[in-house]
Amino acid sequence: MAKKTVTIDDLKKSLTLIVGKKQILFPERAEDNALCQSYLEESRGRSVGKALAIVFPSSTEEVAQIVATCRYHKTPVVPQGGNTGRCLGAQTDDENAVIINLKNMNKIRQLDSDNMTMTVEAGCILQDLQDYAAKADLFFPLSLGSEGSCQIGGNLATNAGGINVLRYGNARELTLGVEAVTANGTVLNELYGLRKNNTGYDLKSLFIGSEGTLGIITAVTLKLFPPEINNEHAFVAVKNIDDAVSCLRTLQRHFGNKISTFELIPQQAIAFLEKHSELTCPIENHHPWYVWYKIADSNPATPLFDENLIILDKLMAEGTVITATVAQNESMKQYFAQIREMIVEVQKCEGHSIKFDVSVPVSAIANLVEKGNAAAKAICPNIRPYPFGHIGDGNIHYNFNCPVGIDDATYRLNYQEKLQQAIYDIIDGLDGSFSAEHGIGSQKLAEMKYYKDPIALDLMRRIKHAFDPFYLMNPNKVIPPLAKKSREEGSDNN
Ligand code: MLT
Ligand code: ZN
Protein backbone atom coordinates (compact mmCIF):
# COMPACT_ATOMS: atom_id res chain seq x y z
CA MET A 1 0.00 0.00 0.00
CA ALA A 2 1.38 3.46 -0.92
CA LYS A 3 2.46 5.55 2.04
CA LYS A 4 0.12 8.51 2.57
CA THR A 5 1.98 11.86 2.48
CA VAL A 6 0.99 14.52 4.96
CA THR A 7 0.31 17.83 3.26
CA ILE A 8 -0.15 21.45 4.27
CA ASP A 9 -3.82 20.99 3.42
CA ASP A 10 -3.98 18.26 6.07
CA LEU A 11 -2.53 20.67 8.59
CA LYS A 12 -5.03 23.37 7.63
CA LYS A 13 -7.89 20.88 7.94
CA SER A 14 -6.71 19.67 11.33
CA LEU A 15 -6.38 23.21 12.66
CA THR A 16 -9.83 24.08 11.34
CA LEU A 17 -11.27 21.03 13.06
CA ILE A 18 -9.71 22.05 16.37
CA VAL A 19 -10.94 25.66 16.50
CA GLY A 20 -13.83 25.68 14.04
CA LYS A 21 -14.09 27.49 10.70
CA LYS A 22 -14.84 30.87 12.25
CA GLN A 23 -11.73 30.90 14.40
CA ILE A 24 -9.08 30.53 11.76
CA LEU A 25 -7.79 32.88 9.07
CA PHE A 26 -5.64 32.02 6.08
CA PRO A 27 -3.70 35.05 4.77
CA GLU A 28 -3.47 33.54 1.28
CA ARG A 29 -7.27 33.34 1.03
CA ALA A 30 -8.61 36.50 -0.63
CA GLU A 31 -11.60 36.82 1.71
CA ASP A 32 -9.36 36.60 4.81
CA ASN A 33 -6.61 38.86 3.63
CA ALA A 34 -7.88 42.17 5.03
CA LEU A 35 -8.84 40.55 8.35
CA CYS A 36 -5.33 39.17 8.72
CA GLN A 37 -3.66 42.54 8.48
CA SER A 38 -3.83 43.54 12.15
CA TYR A 39 -2.34 40.19 13.20
CA LEU A 40 0.48 40.27 10.68
CA GLU A 41 1.47 43.90 11.05
CA GLU A 42 3.72 44.94 13.94
CA SER A 43 2.67 47.52 16.48
CA ARG A 44 4.39 50.53 14.96
CA GLY A 45 3.45 49.57 11.40
CA ARG A 46 7.10 49.01 10.48
CA SER A 47 6.56 45.67 8.79
CA VAL A 48 3.92 43.19 7.75
CA GLY A 49 4.76 39.56 8.39
CA LYS A 50 3.53 36.35 6.85
CA ALA A 51 1.92 33.19 8.17
CA LEU A 52 0.20 30.07 6.96
CA ALA A 53 -2.71 30.60 9.33
CA ILE A 54 -3.84 32.61 12.32
CA VAL A 55 -5.81 30.54 14.82
CA PHE A 56 -7.95 31.75 17.70
CA PRO A 57 -8.29 28.97 20.27
CA SER A 58 -10.84 29.31 23.08
CA SER A 59 -9.35 26.95 25.65
CA THR A 60 -6.07 25.57 26.93
CA GLU A 61 -7.03 22.19 25.45
CA GLU A 62 -7.36 23.76 22.01
CA VAL A 63 -3.97 25.46 22.36
CA ALA A 64 -2.47 22.11 23.36
CA GLN A 65 -4.05 20.38 20.35
CA ILE A 66 -2.82 23.10 17.99
CA VAL A 67 0.73 22.83 19.31
CA ALA A 68 0.68 19.02 19.13
CA THR A 69 -0.69 19.15 15.58
CA CYS A 70 1.91 21.69 14.48
CA ARG A 71 4.62 19.61 16.06
CA TYR A 72 3.44 16.58 14.09
CA HIS A 73 3.68 18.68 10.94
CA LYS A 74 7.02 20.20 12.04
CA THR A 75 5.38 23.60 11.75
CA PRO A 76 6.56 26.59 13.79
CA VAL A 77 4.06 28.32 16.08
CA VAL A 78 4.10 31.99 17.04
CA PRO A 79 2.02 32.95 20.07
CA GLN A 80 0.36 36.34 19.93
CA GLY A 81 -1.52 38.51 22.41
CA GLY A 82 -2.66 42.07 21.67
CA ASN A 83 0.17 42.48 19.18
CA THR A 84 1.39 45.60 20.94
CA GLY A 85 4.98 44.43 21.57
CA ARG A 86 7.90 46.58 20.50
CA CYS A 87 10.47 44.02 19.37
CA LEU A 88 8.71 41.93 16.71
CA GLY A 89 8.20 39.06 19.17
CA ALA A 90 4.71 38.20 17.91
CA GLN A 91 5.40 38.41 14.19
CA THR A 92 6.94 36.03 11.73
CA ASP A 93 8.16 36.16 8.15
CA ASP A 94 7.69 32.43 7.79
CA GLU A 95 4.77 31.72 5.47
CA ASN A 96 4.59 28.21 6.90
CA ALA A 97 4.22 29.32 10.52
CA VAL A 98 0.99 29.30 12.50
CA ILE A 99 0.16 32.33 14.63
CA ILE A 100 -1.77 31.39 17.76
CA ASN A 101 -3.67 34.46 18.87
CA LEU A 102 -5.05 34.11 22.39
CA LYS A 103 -7.74 36.81 22.34
CA ASN A 104 -10.59 34.31 22.81
CA MET A 105 -9.02 33.00 26.00
CA ASN A 106 -10.34 35.88 28.04
CA LYS A 107 -12.05 34.34 31.06
CA ILE A 108 -11.38 35.29 34.63
CA ARG A 109 -11.25 31.92 36.33
CA GLN A 110 -11.15 33.05 39.92
CA LEU A 111 -10.63 36.06 42.13
CA ASP A 112 -9.67 35.10 45.68
CA SER A 113 -9.99 38.29 47.70
CA ASP A 114 -8.70 36.78 50.96
CA ASN A 115 -5.62 35.45 49.17
CA MET A 116 -5.41 38.66 47.14
CA THR A 117 -4.95 36.83 43.86
CA MET A 118 -6.76 36.38 40.60
CA THR A 119 -6.41 33.59 38.09
CA VAL A 120 -7.09 34.66 34.56
CA GLU A 121 -6.65 33.43 31.02
CA ALA A 122 -3.85 34.73 28.86
CA GLY A 123 -6.05 36.64 26.43
CA CYS A 124 -7.58 38.96 29.05
CA ILE A 125 -6.98 42.62 28.23
CA LEU A 126 -4.84 44.26 30.89
CA GLN A 127 -7.27 47.12 31.49
CA ASP A 128 -10.16 44.70 31.96
CA LEU A 129 -8.15 42.99 34.68
CA GLN A 130 -7.39 46.28 36.41
CA ASP A 131 -11.12 47.09 36.30
CA TYR A 132 -12.15 43.64 37.54
CA ALA A 133 -9.77 43.87 40.49
CA ALA A 134 -11.04 47.39 41.28
CA LYS A 135 -14.65 46.11 41.42
CA ALA A 136 -13.51 43.68 44.10
CA ASP A 137 -11.91 46.60 45.96
CA LEU A 138 -8.43 45.40 45.01
CA PHE A 139 -5.67 46.72 42.80
CA PHE A 140 -3.67 45.15 39.98
CA PRO A 141 -0.76 47.54 39.46
CA LEU A 142 0.64 46.59 36.06
CA SER A 143 0.05 49.72 33.96
CA LEU A 144 1.38 50.70 30.55
CA GLY A 145 0.44 52.77 27.53
CA SER A 146 -1.11 49.88 25.62
CA GLU A 147 -3.18 48.59 28.57
CA GLY A 148 -6.44 49.04 26.62
CA SER A 149 -5.40 46.41 24.08
CA CYS A 150 -2.42 44.39 25.35
CA GLN A 151 -3.13 40.97 26.84
CA ILE A 152 -1.86 39.61 30.11
CA GLY A 153 -0.28 36.57 28.43
CA GLY A 154 1.81 38.90 26.29
CA ASN A 155 2.62 41.02 29.34
CA LEU A 156 4.07 37.97 31.03
CA ALA A 157 5.75 36.63 27.92
CA THR A 158 7.66 39.92 27.64
CA ASN A 159 7.89 40.54 31.40
CA ALA A 160 6.26 43.92 30.89
CA GLY A 161 7.16 46.86 33.13
CA GLY A 162 5.35 50.19 32.89
CA ILE A 163 4.85 53.06 35.29
CA ASN A 164 4.39 51.26 38.62
CA VAL A 165 7.49 49.06 38.63
CA LEU A 166 9.18 51.27 41.20
CA ARG A 167 6.77 50.05 43.86
CA TYR A 168 5.34 46.77 42.61
CA GLY A 169 7.93 45.30 40.24
CA ASN A 170 7.65 43.96 36.69
CA ALA A 171 5.14 41.37 35.46
CA ARG A 172 7.41 38.64 36.88
CA GLU A 173 7.13 40.01 40.42
CA LEU A 174 3.36 40.23 40.04
CA THR A 175 2.94 36.59 39.08
CA LEU A 176 2.50 33.67 41.43
CA GLY A 177 1.61 30.93 38.99
CA VAL A 178 1.34 30.03 35.34
CA GLU A 179 -0.35 27.44 33.18
CA ALA A 180 1.46 26.85 29.90
CA VAL A 181 1.31 24.58 26.90
CA THR A 182 4.69 22.98 26.34
CA ALA A 183 6.33 22.32 22.99
CA ASN A 184 5.00 18.75 22.85
CA GLY A 185 1.43 19.80 23.51
CA THR A 186 1.19 18.90 27.19
CA VAL A 187 -0.14 21.33 29.78
CA LEU A 188 2.07 22.50 32.63
CA ASN A 189 -0.13 23.39 35.57
CA GLU A 190 1.72 25.63 37.99
CA LEU A 191 -1.23 27.89 38.69
CA TYR A 192 -0.38 28.28 42.34
CA GLY A 193 -1.49 31.26 44.34
CA LEU A 194 1.35 30.81 46.82
CA ARG A 195 3.80 33.37 48.15
CA LYS A 196 6.03 30.56 49.36
CA ASN A 197 6.68 27.49 47.24
CA ASN A 198 10.19 26.11 47.34
CA THR A 199 9.75 23.00 45.24
CA GLY A 200 12.66 23.08 42.88
CA TYR A 201 13.27 25.12 39.76
CA ASP A 202 11.04 28.13 39.30
CA LEU A 203 9.53 27.14 35.95
CA LYS A 204 7.04 29.98 35.88
CA SER A 205 9.93 32.43 35.94
CA LEU A 206 11.39 30.72 32.89
CA PHE A 207 8.16 31.11 30.93
CA ILE A 208 7.88 34.76 31.99
CA GLY A 209 10.09 36.80 29.66
CA SER A 210 10.69 33.87 27.32
CA GLU A 211 8.48 35.46 24.62
CA GLY A 212 6.86 32.16 23.73
CA THR A 213 10.14 30.43 22.91
CA LEU A 214 9.70 27.77 25.61
CA GLY A 215 5.93 27.29 25.53
CA ILE A 216 2.69 29.25 25.47
CA ILE A 217 1.34 30.81 28.64
CA THR A 218 -2.40 30.12 28.71
CA ALA A 219 -3.38 31.29 32.21
CA VAL A 220 -1.78 33.07 35.14
CA THR A 221 -2.30 33.70 38.83
CA LEU A 222 -1.58 37.31 39.69
CA LYS A 223 -0.94 39.15 42.92
CA LEU A 224 -3.43 41.81 43.94
CA PHE A 225 -2.95 44.70 46.35
CA PRO A 226 -5.02 47.08 48.45
CA PRO A 227 -6.35 49.85 46.20
CA GLU A 228 -4.45 53.13 46.03
CA ILE A 229 -7.54 55.06 47.05
CA ASN A 230 -5.53 57.82 48.64
CA ASN A 231 -3.18 59.21 46.02
CA GLU A 232 -1.47 62.45 45.19
CA HIS A 233 0.14 63.50 41.93
CA ALA A 234 2.73 66.19 41.38
CA PHE A 235 4.46 67.69 38.36
CA VAL A 236 7.80 69.29 39.15
CA ALA A 237 10.53 71.06 37.22
CA VAL A 238 14.21 70.33 37.86
CA LYS A 239 17.50 71.63 36.49
CA ASN A 240 19.07 68.29 35.81
CA ILE A 241 18.73 64.53 36.21
CA ASP A 242 20.81 64.44 39.41
CA ASP A 243 18.24 66.72 41.00
CA ALA A 244 15.42 64.48 39.78
CA VAL A 245 17.12 61.52 41.50
CA SER A 246 17.71 63.54 44.71
CA CYS A 247 14.03 64.46 44.66
CA LEU A 248 13.10 60.78 44.37
CA ARG A 249 15.35 59.79 47.27
CA THR A 250 13.97 62.55 49.51
CA LEU A 251 10.43 61.49 48.71
CA GLN A 252 11.27 57.83 49.33
CA ARG A 253 12.94 58.61 52.64
CA HIS A 254 9.74 60.25 53.74
CA PHE A 255 7.05 58.15 52.07
CA GLY A 256 8.85 54.79 51.74
CA ASN A 257 7.41 52.66 48.98
CA LYS A 258 4.31 54.83 48.74
CA ILE A 259 6.05 56.43 45.75
CA SER A 260 4.66 54.25 42.99
CA THR A 261 5.36 56.32 39.87
CA PHE A 262 8.27 58.61 39.11
CA GLU A 263 8.60 59.54 35.43
CA LEU A 264 11.10 61.81 33.71
CA ILE A 265 9.99 64.20 30.94
CA PRO A 266 12.49 66.35 29.02
CA GLN A 267 11.83 69.87 27.76
CA GLN A 268 12.06 68.53 24.20
CA ALA A 269 8.99 66.38 24.91
CA ILE A 270 7.05 69.32 26.31
CA ALA A 271 7.96 71.35 23.20
CA PHE A 272 6.63 68.55 20.93
CA LEU A 273 3.58 68.11 23.17
CA GLU A 274 2.60 71.75 22.96
CA LYS A 275 3.24 71.88 19.22
CA HIS A 276 1.37 68.73 18.25
CA SER A 277 -1.41 68.27 20.82
CA GLU A 278 -3.99 70.22 22.75
CA LEU A 279 -2.14 69.58 25.98
CA THR A 280 0.09 72.13 27.67
CA CYS A 281 2.68 71.84 30.39
CA PRO A 282 1.12 72.35 33.83
CA ILE A 283 4.17 74.39 34.81
CA GLU A 284 4.75 77.86 33.38
CA ASN A 285 8.03 78.90 31.74
CA HIS A 286 10.44 76.44 30.25
CA HIS A 287 12.64 74.23 32.37
CA PRO A 288 15.17 71.60 31.32
CA TRP A 289 13.43 68.59 32.89
CA TYR A 290 10.15 67.64 34.50
CA VAL A 291 9.02 64.77 36.68
CA TRP A 292 5.52 63.45 37.13
CA TYR A 293 5.19 61.43 40.32
CA LYS A 294 2.49 59.70 42.28
CA ILE A 295 2.34 58.88 45.98
CA ALA A 296 -0.32 56.41 47.02
CA ASP A 297 -1.71 54.74 50.09
CA SER A 298 -4.63 52.49 50.82
CA ASN A 299 -5.40 54.34 54.03
CA PRO A 300 -7.60 57.39 53.36
CA ALA A 301 -6.49 58.98 56.62
CA THR A 302 -2.81 59.27 55.67
CA PRO A 303 -2.25 63.01 55.08
CA LEU A 304 -0.42 62.59 51.77
CA PHE A 305 -1.49 65.90 50.28
CA ASP A 306 -0.21 68.01 53.18
CA GLU A 307 2.95 65.98 53.66
CA ASN A 308 3.75 66.20 49.96
CA LEU A 309 3.44 70.00 50.11
CA ILE A 310 5.82 70.12 53.08
CA ILE A 311 8.41 67.98 51.27
CA LEU A 312 8.04 70.00 48.08
CA ASP A 313 8.57 73.26 50.01
CA LYS A 314 11.75 71.79 51.44
CA LEU A 315 12.94 70.58 48.01
CA MET A 316 12.26 74.00 46.50
CA ALA A 317 13.94 75.83 49.39
CA GLU A 318 17.12 73.80 48.96
CA GLY A 319 16.98 74.23 45.16
CA THR A 320 16.51 70.55 44.23
CA VAL A 321 13.16 71.36 42.67
CA ILE A 322 12.72 74.61 40.72
CA THR A 323 8.97 74.74 40.90
CA ALA A 324 6.07 72.34 41.27
CA THR A 325 2.37 71.94 40.82
CA VAL A 326 0.23 69.41 42.63
CA ALA A 327 -3.00 67.94 41.32
CA GLN A 328 -5.99 69.49 43.07
CA ASN A 329 -8.55 67.03 41.77
CA GLU A 330 -9.05 63.81 39.81
CA SER A 331 -9.08 65.50 36.42
CA MET A 332 -5.69 67.12 37.07
CA LYS A 333 -4.29 63.72 38.03
CA GLN A 334 -5.58 62.31 34.79
CA TYR A 335 -4.15 65.29 32.93
CA PHE A 336 -0.63 64.57 34.25
CA ALA A 337 -0.95 60.93 33.23
CA GLN A 338 -2.26 61.97 29.82
CA ILE A 339 0.77 64.20 29.27
CA ARG A 340 3.05 61.25 30.00
CA GLU A 341 1.18 59.09 27.49
CA MET A 342 1.03 61.82 24.87
CA ILE A 343 4.78 62.47 24.84
CA VAL A 344 5.16 59.05 23.22
CA GLU A 345 2.61 59.89 20.52
CA VAL A 346 3.76 63.41 19.58
CA GLN A 347 7.28 62.23 18.81
CA LYS A 348 5.92 60.65 15.65
CA CYS A 349 4.95 64.10 14.31
CA GLU A 350 8.62 65.09 14.21
CA GLY A 351 9.87 62.40 11.85
CA HIS A 352 11.75 59.22 12.53
CA SER A 353 13.26 58.58 15.92
CA ILE A 354 15.94 56.03 16.71
CA LYS A 355 14.78 54.38 19.89
CA PHE A 356 16.43 52.68 22.83
CA ASP A 357 14.68 50.98 25.74
CA VAL A 358 17.57 50.82 28.18
CA SER A 359 18.28 50.64 31.88
CA VAL A 360 21.19 51.53 34.11
CA PRO A 361 21.44 51.88 37.88
CA VAL A 362 19.41 54.95 38.85
CA SER A 363 22.64 56.56 40.07
CA ALA A 364 24.08 56.34 36.53
CA ILE A 365 21.19 57.86 34.56
CA ALA A 366 22.65 61.38 34.54
CA ASN A 367 25.95 59.97 33.33
CA LEU A 368 24.18 57.94 30.64
CA VAL A 369 22.34 60.94 29.27
CA GLU A 370 25.40 63.19 29.39
CA LYS A 371 27.59 60.66 27.59
CA GLY A 372 24.80 59.54 25.27
CA ASN A 373 23.88 63.06 24.16
CA ALA A 374 27.53 63.95 23.56
CA ALA A 375 28.13 60.78 21.54
CA ALA A 376 24.93 61.28 19.55
CA LYS A 377 25.80 64.88 18.72
CA ALA A 378 29.28 63.86 17.62
CA ILE A 379 27.66 61.41 15.19
CA CYS A 380 24.81 63.67 14.06
CA PRO A 381 25.24 67.28 15.18
CA ASN A 382 21.60 68.44 15.07
CA ILE A 383 20.06 65.27 16.44
CA ARG A 384 17.29 65.84 18.99
CA PRO A 385 17.68 63.62 22.09
CA TYR A 386 14.40 62.63 23.72
CA PRO A 387 15.15 60.66 26.90
CA PHE A 388 12.05 60.00 28.97
CA GLY A 389 10.37 57.46 31.14
CA HIS A 390 10.73 55.35 34.20
CA ILE A 391 13.66 57.08 35.89
CA GLY A 392 12.50 55.75 39.26
CA ASP A 393 13.45 52.20 38.27
CA GLY A 394 16.37 53.12 35.99
CA ASN A 395 14.57 52.48 32.68
CA ILE A 396 14.91 55.29 30.17
CA HIS A 397 13.31 55.35 26.74
CA TYR A 398 16.29 57.05 25.18
CA ASN A 399 14.99 58.17 21.81
CA PHE A 400 16.68 60.41 19.28
CA ASN A 401 14.56 62.37 16.85
CA CYS A 402 16.00 63.20 13.47
CA PRO A 403 17.38 66.69 12.89
CA VAL A 404 14.90 69.09 11.29
CA GLY A 405 15.09 68.83 7.52
CA ILE A 406 16.48 65.29 7.23
CA ASP A 407 14.16 62.72 5.72
CA ASP A 408 13.49 59.51 7.62
CA ALA A 409 15.29 57.19 5.24
CA THR A 410 18.46 59.29 5.18
CA TYR A 411 18.44 59.57 8.95
CA ARG A 412 18.06 55.83 9.38
CA LEU A 413 20.63 54.97 6.75
CA ASN A 414 23.32 57.40 7.86
CA TYR A 415 22.99 57.33 11.61
CA GLN A 416 21.09 54.38 13.00
CA GLU A 417 23.88 51.85 13.10
CA LYS A 418 26.48 54.29 14.41
CA LEU A 419 24.13 55.58 17.07
CA GLN A 420 23.17 52.09 18.18
CA GLN A 421 26.77 51.07 18.60
CA ALA A 422 27.62 54.23 20.52
CA ILE A 423 24.62 54.09 22.87
CA TYR A 424 24.79 50.36 23.52
CA ASP A 425 28.52 50.60 24.23
CA ILE A 426 27.83 53.36 26.77
CA ILE A 427 25.08 51.26 28.35
CA ASP A 428 27.39 48.27 28.52
CA GLY A 429 30.10 50.42 30.14
CA LEU A 430 27.60 51.48 32.81
CA ASP A 431 26.59 47.87 33.56
CA GLY A 432 23.20 48.55 32.07
CA SER A 433 20.83 46.57 29.90
CA PHE A 434 20.17 47.09 26.19
CA SER A 435 16.58 45.97 26.71
CA ALA A 436 14.88 47.10 29.89
CA GLU A 437 11.20 46.32 29.43
CA HIS A 438 10.40 45.70 25.75
CA GLY A 439 12.13 42.35 25.40
CA ILE A 440 14.21 40.94 22.54
CA GLY A 441 11.87 39.46 19.93
CA SER A 442 13.62 39.11 16.59
CA GLN A 443 14.75 42.71 16.73
CA LYS A 444 17.54 42.64 19.26
CA LEU A 445 19.20 39.36 18.35
CA ALA A 446 22.36 41.14 17.25
CA GLU A 447 22.60 42.91 20.61
CA MET A 448 21.94 39.62 22.43
CA LYS A 449 24.83 38.07 20.61
CA TYR A 450 27.15 40.96 21.18
CA TYR A 451 26.37 42.13 24.71
CA LYS A 452 24.86 39.19 26.58
CA ASP A 453 27.23 37.20 28.71
CA PRO A 454 28.27 34.18 26.57
CA ILE A 455 27.78 31.73 29.43
CA ALA A 456 24.28 33.09 29.98
CA LEU A 457 23.54 32.71 26.27
CA ASP A 458 24.89 29.17 26.26
CA LEU A 459 22.67 28.24 29.21
CA MET A 460 19.70 29.84 27.50
CA ARG A 461 20.37 27.77 24.39
CA ARG A 462 20.47 24.58 26.47
CA ILE A 463 17.23 25.48 28.21
CA LYS A 464 15.63 26.20 24.86
CA HIS A 465 16.79 22.82 23.56
CA ALA A 466 15.46 21.00 26.62
CA PHE A 467 12.05 22.68 26.33
CA ASP A 468 11.77 22.76 22.55
CA PRO A 469 14.07 20.22 20.87
CA PHE A 470 12.50 20.68 17.42
CA TYR A 471 12.84 24.45 17.63
CA LEU A 472 9.21 25.11 16.74
CA MET A 473 8.18 27.49 19.53
CA ASN A 474 8.47 31.06 18.23
CA PRO A 475 11.73 30.34 16.43
CA ASN A 476 14.30 33.07 15.76
CA LYS A 477 13.23 35.07 18.77
CA VAL A 478 15.21 35.92 21.91
CA ILE A 479 18.13 33.55 21.25
CA PRO A 480 20.40 34.51 18.35
CA PRO A 481 21.18 31.70 15.93
CA LEU A 482 24.69 30.38 16.39
CA ALA A 483 27.33 32.20 14.34
CA LYS A 484 24.91 33.95 12.07
CA LYS A 485 23.92 37.38 13.29
CA SER A 486 26.72 39.79 13.99
CA ARG A 487 26.46 43.18 15.53
CA GLU A 488 27.40 44.69 12.14
CA GLU A 489 24.17 43.37 10.68
CA GLY A 490 22.46 45.76 13.05
CA SER A 491 18.81 45.72 13.94
CA ASP A 492 15.92 48.03 13.46
CA ASN A 493 15.42 49.94 16.66
CA ASN A 494 12.53 49.95 19.07
C1 MLT B 1 6.37 53.99 27.56
O1 MLT B 1 6.85 53.84 28.69
O2 MLT B 1 5.68 54.98 27.28
C2 MLT B 1 6.61 52.97 26.49
O3 MLT B 1 7.28 51.87 27.00
C3 MLT B 1 7.38 53.61 25.35
C4 MLT B 1 7.21 52.92 24.05
O4 MLT B 1 6.25 52.19 23.82
O5 MLT B 1 8.09 53.12 23.19
ZN1 ZN C 1 8.02 52.27 29.10
Side-chain angles (χ1 to χ4, degrees), residues 144 161-163 263 340 357 388-390 395 397 437-438:
L144 33 134
I163 58 169
E263 296 283 316
R340 169 60 181 83
D357 161 44
F388 70 93
H390 323 293
N395 173 196
H397 297 300
E437 65 169 2
H438 292 171

Side-chain angles (χ1 to χ4, degrees), residues 102 122 153 156-157 178-181 204 207-210 215-220:
L102 290 140
L156 263 71
V178 299
E179 173 193 89
V181 170
K204 82 171 165 353
F207 281 97
I208 298 169
S210 73
I216 302 177
I217 295 172
T218 47
V220 301

Side-chain angles (χ1 to χ4, degrees), residues 117-132:
T117 52
M118 71 180 161
T119 299
V120 306
E121 292 184 345
C124 290
I125 303 282
L126 175 55
Q127 199 166 54
D128 293 343
L129 296 180
Q130 296 165 351
D131 293 347
Y132 195 83

